[in-house]
Amino acid sequence: MKRHLNTLFVTTEGSYLAKDGAAVQVRFEKKTLLRVPLHNLDSVVCFGRVGFSSQLAAACAEAGVSISLMSPHGRFRAAVVGFSPGNVLLRRQQYRAADDPELTARIARNCISGKIANSRSVLLRAARDAKDEDRSSRLKLAAKQLAPILRRVAKADDADTVRGYEGESASKYFASFGDLTSVDGFQMKGRSRRPPLDPINALLSFLYAMLAHDARSACEACGLDAAVGFLHRDRPGRPGCALDLMEEFRPVLADRLAFSLINRKQVSCKGFEVTSSGAVRMDDKTRKTVLTAYQTRKQDTIEHPFLGEKTTMGLLVHLQARLLARHLRGDLDEYPAFIWK
Amino acid sequence: MTYHDDELLPISALQHYLFCPRQCALIHLEQVWAENQLTMEGLLLHERADSPTHETRPQHDGVRIRVERALPIRSLELGLIGKADIVEFHHPRDSSDSPRIIPVEYKRGKPKANDCDRVQLCAQALCLEEMCSTGVTEGALFYGTRRRRTEVVFDDDLRRRTMQTIDALRTMIEGRVTPPAVRTKACEKCSLIDLCLPDATGGDRSVARFMSRQLNAHLQDETTDE
Ligand code: SF4
């Protein structure tokens, strides 16, 4: 798959998308802001109140471009995807594997091994970059504490055990987030999700939502049922398989990006508003900055450790979805998680 | 035995099967499909032959040739369905005789090393024999680069080969098993290479070993880091 996966993010509330030949036209208050050929796109992501024509929806479906509708803060609401006959054999295999404790445990274990290893890499890189000696050694220590958990996860043979180690490693990892940045106003008071209670959490939640969106598209593109996961048990409305796939990428694509945006002062505290309930929201400008940085990060090239081929960060989740599908179909003995170096 | 309507397999699957059984399974069992240049060119070349039309050409010796394009064909005996690019029906002067039937298939590029095009054409002939209750003894392939017809005789050898391929195809489809990848020269020209991942899935590569090597290397880094 050499095709580049570009996403058109539409963040201006009140804008309207129309079909213009074989392109998407973005209009706002009767003015055309932008025109993007469909063949350059993989998906269109609309935030908040954005309208589109049924002709555009049909043209996108035909061209294999999905349109996703998100809340202003990136929560997934709905999508327009074309008809794909799906892969009934793959799906049956996926459901069988999800019902099989042994297979489920092996997939979950590899996803989480990847996640913990990648979390450690994030900490170790930050430790290397930190100017402050104390911070650096605290980060190294945190990475060191994750090592035994990683060793144990790699041997776990039941999904609940994997989930337990996952929780343990996550709390250790998040506890060291305070050391990932020294910029004032970006102190993290533990992980808060619904709603995020500080700027870092707001930033992370938004990036995780983007990542989940990409993982969901990757599942759909290769015929997997995005709803049926292994690590994540079925819950109506939850894209379990997409969430499983994104675990390995959270540290690399989201966490690291969040901290580099903060440390390079590309986002500032002023870009986050605290509502009267205490929930923290990003303003439009910050959201745009974050989306641009996320898209740029996805263009970075990387060598895929298992496939040994050059690819981009953005295509990684698609490749991982394919590898998961090939494992479920019996071509691979296990799911090869992505381990970042 | 005869097959039911919805058990029929596409004739084109025979070609895929002969090119690579795994490719055939990926397309016809798993329904993954990737357009690449080869398939696109194939489509363009087919466009003309693809719109169903027919015409009748009188010939000087009194033989009338009726040419059918994009003719739907099937065989319930063999369990096949498809479309013939072009079928010529040569009607002799004496109209009580049944016409001579000649299927003609358009192919991009040049004649291939294996006989997949001939097998596909022969399968069409077998369908036509069943549908028209008459023998079909010869057909022709028209290659894009050659721009002329290559005659194909449906002899016992080719018929046997075709029947064997149909059997093997049916066994694979009904078994619902995608055969493992085997890296060959064909992979370079295969439109499904990025979905098939022959280098990753073929051979005896073990993910279990890969994962433990990766994790060991990762944990190794830590000790050197201190
Ligand atoms: S890549 Fe090679 S093994 Fe895979 S389907 Fe194509 S030809 Fe067959």
Side-chain angles (χ1 to χ4, degrees), chain B residues 202-217:
Chain B
D204 55 357
R205 257 189 101 178
S206 152
V207 177
R209 277 202 303 274
F210 165 83
M211 285 296 290
S212 72
R213 236 184 302 124
Q214 288 273 300
L215 291 172
N216 283 337

Side-chain angles (χ1 to χ4, degrees), chain A residues 12-257:
Chain A
T12 312
E13 299 224 22
S15 47
Y16 184 79
L17 311 178
K19 176 177 176 300
D20 174 10
V24 191
Q25 197 183 53
V26 185
R27 288 190 211 146
F28 182 68
E29 290 175 347
K30 302 218 162 72
K31 277 201 298 277
T32 301
L33 299 183
L34 196 67
R35 199 179 163 278
V36 191
L38 282 176
H39 67 85
N40 283 343
L41 286 177
D42 174 60
S43 59
V44 179
V45 180
C46 308
F47 294 92
R49 211 162 39 76
V50 174
F52 58 85
S53 71
S54 55
Q55 283 92 329
L56 178 73
C60 282
E62 187 134 331
V65 176
S66 62
I67 303 180
S68 299
L69 309 181
M70 321 286 265
S71 78
H73 312 295
R75 275 193 87 78
F76 178 84
R77 282 175 174 160
V80 179
V81 282
F83 174 77
S84 78
N87 178 345
V88 64
L89 297 177
L90 171 63
R91 290 204 175 198
R92 270 186 177 273
Q93 215 60 62
Q94 184 182 359
Y95 303 146
R96 278 194 206 110
D99 282 338
D100 179 327
E102 214 176 293
L103 286 173
T104 295
R106 269 200 279 158
I107 297 170
R109 173 184 81 191
N110 288 3
C111 290
I112 293 308
S113 300
K115 180 186 189 179
I116 301 178
N118 295 344
S119 304
R120 291 184 72 252
S121 297
V122 166
L123 297 178
L124 288 170
R125 284 209 186 194
R128 247 172 274 151
D129 296 342
K131 307 238 163 41
D132 178 339
E133 274 297 318
D134 285 350
R135 254 180 68 205
S136 172
S137 55
R138 281 198 302 271
L139 287 167
K140 276 190 200 147
L141 182 66
K144 200 181 160 95
Q145 287 174 339
L146 291 180
I149 311 182
L150 176 55
R151 286 201 189 86
R152 269 177 267 146
V153 165
K155 293 199 191 73
D157 51 12
D158 125 299
D160 276 331
T161 311
V162 174
R163 291 181 191 112
Y165 289 139
E166 201 286 307
E168 200 185 318
S169 70
S171 62
K172 288 215 161 69
Y173 175 59
F174 278 122
S176 60
F177 268 29
D179 282 317
L180 286 173
T181 171
S182 54
V183 177
D184 267 354
F186 280 104
Q187 270 67 46
M188 189 175 177
K189 310 169 207 86
R191 175 82 180 115
S192 53
R193 297 189 300 144
R194 288 174 167 185
L197 299 174
D198 58 50
I200 292 190
N201 273 296
L203 194 50
L204 288 177
S205 289
F206 187 68
L207 284 167
Y208 291 160
M210 292 304 103
L211 207 50
H213 172 266
D214 288 352
R216 181 196 285 264
S217 311
C219 289
E220 264 149 25
C222 74
L224 287 164
D225 186 336
V228 176
F230 303 95
L231 178 75
H232 291 86
R233 278 169 291 210
D234 294 358
R235 193 185 293 161
R238 181 162 81 167
C241 189
L243 294 178
D244 286 0
L245 272 180
M246 75 181 261
E247 290 294 352
E248 304 145 51
F249 297 106
R250 282 177 201 262
V252 191
L253 265 170
D255 304 347
R256 203 171 128 78
L257 183 62

